[in-house]
């Protein structure tokens, strides 16, 4: 394992922001991690696929890129297999592995970029399924004591794009492996977003998990910018949830506002809010572009780097959007992407 100095990070984050890491190394197993941590580098940051970070400055200390691999079935009964994934495995390759083995539960999460180890950080979710629905436990190393701990589903305190690792335990643990319970007789979940329509279009009336995965892939490819072509980190903001009274007031002035009832009130798609306000009275943020960066033309939740934008500019644009949405709708958006 080699520590590189002054590493350009542009190939290691999907926004393709050019920033320099003072020190950078990749680890392939727990022993390499322990060796690096025993030198007490400070500060330390971890990178999986870099698909959920916006780098706004050069990074001092050490960045550790995770390449810990391995897929092992550790338990099996008549309904479930429990599979332990090394945290550096690529998420979508694990979905493909599960789908090809006929194990259900994560097919709706097809084509999410990044690694298995980052998935618990924000309880990744799409098309009505969240990691927490299949999550059993994870193993993690404490960065200072170097102790290995097991976190159950409950201990991770999963919420909507949230976990304990983004709050009380922020920057305290490295996630080594994640164990998921996958179904041997999969349940097909197609009542969210446009999956059902996409399957109908393909004349698929009795879908398998492979069909669902393919449908999700097709929808995502048609709507989302490919980070290899246009730098982005997926949805920049989380969808806000408002109280019933706030929702009633919003409906009075915006009768077409979309909403979904959830336990805490009403979820409003942030993309709609961003699309329906803008930098001035006339324009919408959707498709807005300043020099090398802007808001994607097809998906207003996605901020993009067209070429050589820097992270500070994109962060400033996100602040303008937050203020604009708050001014018009009285709703404060929160960023989903981790700001470095
Ligand atoms: P990184 O960006 O490398 O890291 C994210 C955070 O986790 C960082 O703070 C990092 O330090 C920390 N971290 C990473 N690995 C570890 C580890 N092993 N231990 C401790 N900390 C760690 N997200 C969704 O939830 N749903 C979606 O549908 C979705 N779609 C997306 C589509 C596109 C086109 C893009 C670009 C992103 C999308 N995302 C989505 C966001 C992103 O892909 C996920 O959050 C993903 O889990 C990030 O994985 P990563 O390995 O790239 O994490
Ligand atoms: P979409 O299907 O156009 O739907 C728009 C929004 O409405 C979504 O954000 C979704 O919320 C919500 N929604 C749709 N159907 C719903 C239902 N039946 N019940 C409750 N809420 C519903 O969304 P999209 O932009 O194409 O994304 C599709 C899925 O992929 C979504 O789940 C989205 O979260 C996920 N995705 C996530 C990222 C990311 O970076 N986090 C990037 C791309 C796509 P939710 O977002 O809460 O599901």
């Amino acid at each position: 394992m080699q520590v590189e100095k002054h590493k350009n990070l542009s190939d290691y984050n999907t926004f393709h922001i050019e920033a320099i890491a003072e020190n950078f190394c990749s680890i392939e197993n727990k022993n390499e991690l322990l060796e690096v941590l025993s030198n007490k580098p400070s500060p330390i940051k971890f990178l999986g696929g870099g698909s959920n970070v916006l780098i706004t400055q050069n990074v001092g200390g050490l960045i550790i890129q995770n390449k810990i691999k391995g897929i092992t079935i550790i338990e099996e009964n008549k309904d479930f297999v429990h599979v332990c994934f090394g945290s550096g495995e690529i998420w979508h390759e694990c979905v493909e592995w599960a789908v090809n083995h006929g194990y259900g539960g994560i097919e709706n999460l097809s084509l999410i970029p990044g690694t298995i180890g980052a998935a618990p950080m924000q309880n990744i979710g799409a098309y009505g399924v969240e990691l927490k629905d299949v999550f059993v436990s994870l193993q993690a190393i404490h960065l200072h004591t170097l102790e290995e701990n097991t976190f159950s589903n409950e201990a991770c305190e999963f919420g909507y794009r949230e976990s304990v690792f983004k709050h009380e335990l922020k920057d305290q643990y490295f996630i080594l492996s994640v164990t998921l319970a996958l179904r041997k007789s999969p349940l097909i979940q197609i009542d969210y977003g446009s999956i059902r329509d996409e399957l109908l279009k393909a004349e698929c009336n009795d879908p398998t998990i492979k069909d669902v995965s393919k449908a999700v892939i097709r929808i995502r490819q048609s709507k989302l910018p490919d980070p290899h072509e246009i730098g982005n980190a997926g949805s920049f903001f989380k969808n806000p949830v408002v109280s019933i009274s706030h929702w009633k007031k919003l409906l009075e002035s915006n009768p077409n506002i979309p909403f979904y009832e959830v336990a805490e009130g009403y979820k409003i798609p942030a993309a709609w809010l961003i699309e329906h306000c803008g930098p001035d009275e006339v324009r919408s943020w959707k498709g807005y572009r300043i020099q090398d960066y802007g808001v994607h033309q097809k998906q207003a939740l996605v901020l993009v780097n067209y070429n050589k934008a820097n992270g500070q500019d994109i962060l400033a644009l996100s602040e303008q959007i937050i203020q604009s949405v708050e001014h018009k709708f009285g709703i404060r958006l929160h960023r989903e992407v981790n700001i470095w």
Side-chain angles (χ1 to χ4, degrees):
M1 178 210 4
Q2 200 193 337
V3 176
E4 296 174 65
K5 293 225 165 268
H6 308 299
K7 177 94 169 166
N8 186 335
L9 296 172
S10 60
D11 288 342
Y12 296 87
N13 70 98
T14 59
F15 256 122
H16 303 299
I17 300 292
E18 288 203 1
I20 303 297
E22 190 180 1
N23 297 287
F24 180 97
C25 71
S26 298
I27 50 144
E28 294 186 1
N29 54 53
K30 183 168 113 184
N31 287 342
E32 288 188 351
L33 174 72
L34 291 174
E35 190 188 324
V36 180
L37 294 181
S38 63
N39 294 328
K40 303 207 180 309
S42 176
I44 314 170
K45 286 200 181 296
F46 299 114
L47 257 189
S51 64
N52 207 12
V53 290
L54 173 67
I55 307 177
T56 61
Q57 55 194 321
N58 290 338
V59 186
L62 175 67
I63 291 189
I64 301 178
Q65 187 199 22
N66 180 15
K67 291 194 166 174
I68 299 178
K69 301 286 184 183
I71 302 182
T72 317
I73 295 180
I74 53 170
E75 212 180 302
E76 190 162 356
N77 60 36
K78 74 177 188 2
D79 298 320
F80 288 97
V81 279
H82 286 200
V83 188
C84 179
F85 296 93
S87 57
E89 287 286 348
I90 302 301
W91 173 266
H92 181 64
E93 290 174 9
C94 299
V95 174
E96 288 180 319
W97 178 91
V99 166
N100 289 336
H101 283 77
Y103 301 144
I106 51 177
E107 58 282 355
N108 291 40
L109 303 177
S110 294
L111 217 61
I112 297 181
T115 52
I116 279 267
M121 298 297 293
Q122 70 158 16
N123 178 29
I124 57 168
Y127 297 103
V129 172
E130 292 180 317
L131 181 79
K132 74 173 171 52
D133 302 334
V134 292
F135 181 93
V136 177
S137 63
L138 63 79
Q139 294 297 117
I141 298 273
H142 191 275
L143 301 192
H144 302 300
T145 65
L146 305 190
E147 254 176 57
E148 186 169 334
N149 297 127
T150 304
F151 288 79
S152 65
N153 192 317
E154 200 184 2
C156 291
E157 297 179 17
F158 290 127
Y160 175 63
R161 308 287 190 267
E162 293 293 354
S163 77
V164 72
F165 301 104
K166 282 185 94 171
H167 296 281
E168 293 95 292
L169 299 184
K170 190 172 160 58
D171 296 331
Q172 291 192 41
Y173 280 93
F174 175 84
I175 296 169
L176 271 180
S177 65
V178 175
T179 298
L180 306 181
L182 302 175
R183 278 182 187 273
K184 289 173 154 180
S185 305
L187 300 172
I188 301 294
Q189 302 174 75
I190 56 175
D191 289 324
Y192 201 96
S194 46
I195 304 184
R196 187 180 288 280
D197 290 345
E198 186 63 32
L199 287 165
L200 284 176
K201 241 195 273 168
E203 295 181 8
C204 181
N205 298 317
D206 187 15
T208 61
I209 51 172
K210 203 170 248 178
D211 297 322
V212 173
S213 172
K214 281 187 191 160
V216 169
I217 290 172
R218 282 197 301 273
I219 303 169
R220 294 183 74 104
Q221 285 175 335
S222 71
K223 284 175 107 172
L224 288 168
D226 178 349
H228 295 292
E229 288 162 18
I230 303 177
N232 76 89
S235 304
F236 202 88
F237 304 98
K238 294 193 278 191
N239 290 318
V241 173
V242 299
S243 66
I244 297 176
S245 56
H246 192 165
W247 166 73
K248 281 186 179 157
K249 240 195 254 165
L250 281 168
L251 262 188
E252 278 169 21
S253 38
N254 307 276
N256 297 326
I257 197 167
F259 57 85
Y260 297 93
E261 198 172 350
V262 292
E264 308 79 21
Y266 287 91
K267 178 174 72 180
I268 314 280
W272 189 93
L273 298 169
I274 297 169
E275 189 176 341
H276 287 82
C277 58
D280 51 44
E281 290 296 314
V282 195
R283 282 179 297 169
S284 158
W285 286 114
K286 191 174 182 181
Y288 178 76
R289 178 170 178 166
I290 321 170
Q291 295 149 11
D292 272 352
Y293 61 101
V295 180
H296 192 247
Q297 279 162 346
K298 287 192 196 164
Q299 172 48 287
L301 257 190
V302 178
L303 303 192
V304 289
N305 172 15
Y306 290 106
N307 191 10
K308 287 201 179 276
N310 69 54
Q312 285 291 348
D313 289 336
I314 294 173
L315 183 64
L317 172 62
S318 75
E319 192 53 42
Q320 276 181 282
I321 292 172
I322 289 172
Q323 286 181 16
S324 169
V325 168
E326 191 164 22
H327 180 71
K328 178 146 184 199
F329 300 105
I331 296 176
R332 187 150 185 91
L333 295 182
H334 294 282
R335 296 180 184 92
E336 178 177 309
V337 170
N338 299 282
I339 309 297
W340 279 13

